Amino acid sequence: YFQDSAGKSKSDLPWLEMDTNYKQTLLERPAKKIGVSYSVFWIAVAALLIAGHFAVKSIAGAQDRYPWIIVIGGVALAWIAIEIIWSYRGLVSLAHIIKAIASKGEAETTATWFVGRVESIYSPKHMVMSGIPVFLIFGTITIYFGTACWTDSIALCWYDSVVALFIFFLGGMSQWPFWGMSDLIYRLPTKPIDRVNLFSHPHSNIMRVGGFLLKVGLGGVGLIVLGEILIYYAPIGETRIYYQVIFVAISLATLVWFLVTQKNIHRVMAEQKRKQFDEVSDELFQMVERASQLATQDDYFKVLFLTTLRSEISRLPEWPFEAKALISMISASLGSAVVPLLKMLSTGQPIPW
């Protein structure tokens, strides 16, 4: 259960109870129906697809010099599905943070808006819409060039092609939530948010939103790195360049996504910090103006308190991450983009811009 602003183990928003009434995503529903966790379900699906490859290979009597390719593909499939579900649940869980920082009279409305937007972003219709273009792009390359056919078996070729297309479709489905988060965070500063407590623990204020987005970004970059390892060693010939260009573009786009989302959270934090700093500064200025009239010890203590408080507010964070988090995200994104780019340039491969 979520902790509300009063610290009670109860939420005023009943649809936030993650263990009972929250809406499941399309990818989570099968696991819910058979009563297992979504992680176990998608790992089992990946394992079955890997086992299916080896079963078809055995029946067809094919020789496979690259059995690890289907294993990496299975890992990628489970990774994509689990991250989609995890990110959805994570975003919904942030609703209590949104409720805590919203204006008192608008807290319930703002939290309801937030969860409604999350549910819309992760709706089957939207995710399928983003899955189809990616499916068509990668599917065309896969089918036309036969990049999933590295054995002498037609049956295994078709099986691996279908698995690859399924993975590409899932990867495309993840793109709508990924970019939908940007729109969600972009709209956040337009809402009635005026109770941001920058003195609280980072896990209890808006900085938790920034930390969550960092994890989502790193998860995406990790998946890109996995894909780059796959295409680097897979026997796909000249078509490798097309995959590399796409992965480079996605890596750079992920970095831009991270910076844009953090910038929008920064707007909320900076505005709240400026508001608190101005309020303390105005009161301190009024005290200083009446300096000649300050006759009691309490007055002098108040001036000292306001001066100290003003100094502390000036040191409050304005960005929802630490420097090391920013460095890790930039390094991971640029690394996953620059390494294959340098590889292309060093081998003299033409880049199909």
Side-chain angles (χ1 to χ4, degrees):
Y1 292 89
F2 294 105
Q3 298 292 318
D4 61 17
S5 57
K8 300 176 182 178
S9 299
K10 183 179 180 181
S11 172
D12 294 330
L13 305 174
W15 32 260
L16 283 181
E17 305 300 348
M18 296 290 287
D19 57 335
T20 53
N21 299 324
Y22 81 102
K23 291 183 178 180
Q24 285 90 33
T25 64
L26 176 66
L27 300 180
E28 190 177 5
R29 291 170 191 169
K32 186 73 173 179
K33 286 184 178 180
I34 62 177
V36 299
S37 72
Y38 64 89
S39 299
V40 171
F41 176 82
W42 282 103
I43 290 174
V45 169
L48 287 174
L49 291 177
I50 294 172
H53 167 89
F54 290 104
V56 174
K57 170 180 170 293
S58 177
I59 294 172
Q63 298 295 321
D64 186 2
R65 296 173 53 197
Y66 305 93
W68 51 267
I69 293 180
I70 189 65
V71 176
I72 294 181
V75 172
L77 185 148
W79 189 324
I80 295 169
I82 290 172
E83 180 160 4
I84 290 175
I85 300 170
W86 168 83
S87 62
Y88 169 73
R89 293 166 64 99
L91 274 177
V92 172
S93 73
L94 292 175
H96 77 282
I97 296 290
I98 304 304
K99 181 181 178 181
I101 65 178
S103 303
K104 288 186 177 180
E106 300 290 337
E108 193 78 20
T109 301
T110 304
T112 301
W113 163 82
F114 182 83
V115 173
R117 290 292 302 175
V118 173
E119 291 178 348
S120 175
I121 290 170
Y122 285 83
S123 67
K125 176 182 68 175
H126 290 150
M127 290 199 295
V128 169
M129 284 173 55
S130 66
I132 291 175
V134 176
F135 171 84
L136 293 175
I137 293 172
F138 282 96
T140 300
I141 298 174
T142 301
I143 299 299
Y144 184 79
F145 293 102
T147 54
C149 303
W150 58 85
T151 68
D152 56 354
S153 169
I154 296 178
L156 195 58
C157 170
W158 278 106
Y159 179 88
D160 291 338
S161 296
V162 170
V163 172
L165 293 178
F166 182 43
I167 295 172
F168 292 143
F169 181 69
L170 276 182
M173 288 180 65
S174 70
Q175 293 306 298
W176 189 282
F178 193 73
W179 295 103
M181 291 181 205
S182 300
D183 178 69
L184 177 66
I185 302 303
Y186 177 79
R187 296 171 184 265
L188 193 59
T190 67
K191 297 301 174 181
I193 293 175
D194 58 9
R195 293 194 297 160
V196 179
N197 182 5
L198 299 177
F199 288 98
S200 63
H201 192 277
H203 290 170
S204 303
N205 64 24
I206 198 171
M207 289 187 68
R208 181 175 172 181
V209 180
F212 170 78
L213 294 173
L214 173 64
K215 294 176 183 177
V216 172
L218 289 174
V221 172
L223 187 61
I224 293 170
V225 171
L226 189 65
E228 289 175 350
I229 293 173
L230 181 61
I231 65 172
Y232 184 82
Y233 290 103
I236 56 178
E238 296 180 356
T239 58
R240 179 178 290 109
I241 184 68
Y242 298 102
Y243 291 105
Q244 288 177 327
V245 169
I246 294 172
F247 281 135
V248 167
I250 295 175
S251 297
L252 296 177
T254 301
L255 178 59
V256 173
W257 169 87
F258 171 74
L259 295 176
V260 168
T261 53
Q262 300 298 306
K263 178 66 166 58
N264 291 326
I265 299 175
H266 160 73
R267 288 170 55 194
V268 175
M269 296 178 65
E271 174 63 23
Q272 188 65 23
K273 178 178 176 178
R274 184 196 61 78
K275 179 181 176 182
Q276 294 176 350
F277 188 85
D278 289 347
E279 289 176 354
V280 174
S281 296
D282 289 344
E283 189 170 355
L284 181 61
F285 179 72
Q286 294 174 13
M287 294 291 293
V288 172
E289 276 193 324
R290 303 194 309 271
S292 59
Q293 304 173 10
L294 301 179
T296 66
Q297 189 178 32
D298 288 343
D299 291 331
Y300 287 109
F301 275 132
K302 186 174 183 179
V303 171
L304 179 61
F305 169 75
L306 291 174
T307 302
T308 303
L309 180 59
R310 184 174 180 272
S311 177
E312 289 299 321
I313 292 176
S314 68
R315 290 198 289 265
L316 288 174
E318 294 185 8
W319 290 88
F321 53 74
E322 298 178 356
K324 61 181 181 180
L326 178 62
I327 293 173
S328 64
M329 185 64 199
I330 292 177
S331 300
S333 298
L334 291 181
S336 60
V338 171
V339 171
L341 188 59
L342 291 177
K343 177 65 177 178
M344 286 185 278
L345 295 175
S346 65
T347 55
Q349 291 177 296
I351 301 176
W353 299 118

